[in-house]
Coordinates of all heavy atoms in Angstrom, one line a residue:
I1 N -2.6 4.7 -0.9 CA -2.8 4.6 0.6 C -1.9 3.6 1.2 O -2.3 2.6 1.9 CB -4.3 4.3 0.9 CG1 -5.2 5.1 0.0 CG2 -4.6 4.6 2.4 CD1 -6.7 4.8 0.1
L2 N -0.6 3.7 0.9 CA 0.3 2.7 1.4 C 0.5 2.7 2.9 O 0.4 3.8 3.5 CB 1.6 2.9 0.7 CG 1.7 2.4 -0.8 CD1 2.9 3.0 -1.5 CD2 1.8 0.9 -0.8
K3 N 0.7 1.5 3.4 CA 0.8 1.4 4.9 C 2.2 0.7 5.2 O 2.8 0.1 4.3 CB -0.3 0.4 5.4 CG -1.7 0.8 5.0 CD -2.7 -0.3 5.4 CE -4.1 0.1 4.9 NZ -5.1 -1.0 5.3
P4 N 2.6 0.9 6.4 CA 3.9 0.3 6.7 C 3.9 -1.2 6.5 O 5.0 -1.8 6.1 CB 4.1 0.6 8.2 CG 3.3 1.9 8.4 CD 2.2 1.8 7.5
E5 N 2.8 -1.9 6.7 CA 2.8 -3.3 6.5 C 2.8 -3.7 5.0 O 2.9 -4.9 4.7 CB 1.5 -3.9 7.1 CG 0.2 -3.2 6.8 CD -0.2 -2.2 7.8 OE1 0.7 -1.5 8.3 OE2 -1.4 -2.1 8.1
D6 N 2.8 -2.7 4.1 CA 3.0 -3.0 2.7 C 4.5 -3.1 2.3 O 4.9 -3.4 1.2 CB 2.4 -1.9 1.8 CG 0.9 -1.9 1.9 OD1 0.3 -3.0 1.9 OD2 0.3 -0.8 2.0
T7 N 5.4 -2.8 3.3 CA 6.8 -2.9 3.1 C 7.2 -4.3 2.7 O 6.9 -5.3 3.5 CB 7.6 -2.4 4.3 OG1 7.3 -1.0 4.5 CG2 9.1 -2.7 4.1
A8 N 7.8 -4.5 1.6 CA 8.2 -5.9 1.1 C 9.0 -5.7 -0.2 O 9.1 -4.6 -0.8 CB 6.9 -6.7 0.9
V9 N 9.6 -6.9 -0.6 CA 10.1 -6.9 -1.9 C 9.0 -7.4 -2.8 O 8.3 -8.4 -2.6 CB 11.3 -7.9 -2.0 CG1 11.8 -8.1 -3.5 CG2 12.4 -7.5 -1.1
Y10 N 8.7 -6.7 -3.9 CA 7.6 -7.0 -4.8 C 8.2 -7.6 -6.1 O 9.1 -7.1 -6.7 CB 6.9 -5.7 -5.2 CG 6.0 -5.2 -4.1 CD1 6.5 -4.7 -2.9 CD2 4.6 -5.3 -4.2 CE1 5.7 -4.3 -1.9 CE2 3.8 -4.9 -3.2 CZ 4.3 -4.4 -2.0 OH 3.5 -4.0 -1.0
Y11 N 7.6 -8.8 -6.4 CA 8.1 -9.6 -7.5 C 7.1 -9.6 -8.7 O 5.9 -9.9 -8.5 CB 8.4 -11.0 -7.1 CG 9.5 -11.2 -6.1 CD1 9.2 -11.1 -4.7 CD2 10.8 -11.3 -6.5 CE1 10.2 -11.3 -3.8 CE2 11.8 -11.5 -5.6 CZ 11.5 -11.4 -4.2 OH 12.5 -11.6 -3.3
C12 N 7.6 -9.3 -9.9 CA 6.8 -9.5 -11.1 C 6.7 -11.0 -11.4 O 7.6 -11.8 -11.1 CB 7.5 -8.7 -12.2 SG 6.5 -8.8 -13.8
Y13 N 5.6 -11.4 -12.0 CA 5.2 -12.8 -12.2 C 4.6 -12.9 -13.5 O 3.8 -12.1 -13.9 CB 4.2 -13.2 -11.1 CG 3.5 -14.4 -11.3 CD1 4.0 -15.7 -10.9 CD2 2.2 -14.4 -11.7 CE1 3.3 -16.8 -11.1 CE2 1.4 -15.6 -11.9 CZ 2.0 -16.8 -11.5 OH 1.3 -17.9 -11.7
L14 N 5.0 -14.0 -14.2 CA 4.3 -14.3 -15.5 C 4.2 -15.9 -15.5 O 5.2 -16.6 -15.3 CB 5.2 -13.9 -16.7 CG 4.6 -14.1 -18.1 CD1 5.0 -13.0 -19.0 CD2 4.9 -15.5 -18.7
R15 N 3.0 -16.3 -15.8 CA 2.7 -17.7 -15.9 C 2.1 -18.0 -17.3 O 1.2 -17.5 -17.7 CB 1.7 -18.1 -14.8 CG 1.3 -19.6 -14.8 CD 0.4 -20.0 -13.7 NE 0.0 -21.4 -13.7 CZ 0.7 -22.3 -13.0 NH1 1.8 -22.0 -12.4 NH2 0.3 -23.6 -13.0
Q16 N 2.8 -19.0 -17.9 CA 2.3 -19.4 -19.2 C 2.7 -20.9 -19.4 O 3.8 -21.3 -18.9 CB 2.9 -18.6 -20.4 CG 4.4 -18.5 -20.4 CD 4.9 -17.6 -21.5 OE1 4.2 -16.7 -22.0 NE2 6.2 -17.8 -22.0
F17 N 1.8 -21.7 -19.9 CA 2.0 -23.2 -20.1 C 2.4 -23.8 -18.7 O 3.2 -24.6 -18.7 CB 3.1 -23.5 -21.1 CG 2.8 -22.9 -22.5 CD1 3.6 -21.9 -23.0 CD2 1.7 -23.3 -23.2 CE1 3.3 -21.4 -24.3 CE2 1.4 -22.8 -24.4 CZ 2.2 -21.8 -25.0
S18 N 1.7 -23.4 -17.7 CA 1.9 -23.9 -16.3 C 3.3 -23.7 -15.8 O 3.7 -24.4 -14.8 CB 1.5 -25.4 -16.3 OG 0.2 -25.6 -16.7
I19 N 4.0 -22.8 -16.4 CA 5.4 -22.5 -15.9 C 5.4 -21.0 -15.3 O 4.9 -20.1 -15.9 CB 6.4 -22.6 -17.0 CG1 6.5 -24.0 -17.5 CG2 7.8 -22.1 -16.5 CD1 7.3 -24.2 -18.8
D20 N 5.9 -20.9 -14.1 CA 6.0 -19.6 -13.4 C 7.3 -19.0 -13.6 O 8.4 -19.7 -13.5 CB 5.8 -19.8 -11.9 CG 4.4 -20.3 -11.5 OD1 3.5 -20.1 -12.3 OD2 4.2 -20.9 -10.5
N21 N 7.3 -17.8 -13.9 CA 8.6 -17.0 -14.2 C 8.5 -15.8 -13.2 O 7.5 -15.2 -13.0 CB 8.6 -16.5 -15.6 CG 8.7 -17.6 -16.6 OD1 9.7 -18.2 -16.9 ND2 7.5 -18.0 -17.1
W22 N 9.7 -15.4 -12.7 CA 9.8 -14.4 -11.7 C 10.8 -13.4 -12.1 O 11.9 -13.7 -12.6 CB 10.2 -15.0 -10.3 CG 9.2 -16.0 -9.8 CD1 9.2 -17.3 -10.0 CD2 8.0 -15.7 -9.1 NE1 8.1 -17.9 -9.4 CE2 7.3 -16.9 -8.8 CE3 7.4 -14.5 -8.6 CZ2 6.1 -17.0 -8.1 CZ3 6.2 -14.6 -7.9 CH2 5.6 -15.8 -7.7
G23 N 10.6 -12.1 -11.7 CA 11.6 -11.1 -11.8 C 12.5 -11.1 -10.6 O 12.3 -12.0 -9.7
Q24 N 13.5 -10.2 -10.5 CA 14.4 -10.2 -9.4 C 13.9 -9.5 -8.2 O 14.5 -9.6 -7.1 CB 15.7 -9.5 -9.9 CG 15.7 -8.0 -9.9 CD 14.9 -7.4 -11.0 OE1 14.4 -8.1 -11.9 NE2 14.8 -6.1 -11.0

């Protein structure tokens, strides 16, 4: 049920040992 306001760049995220990692 996607809406126009869902338009964005979506980033993958992984947090381990209090360190945040991001995709492109």
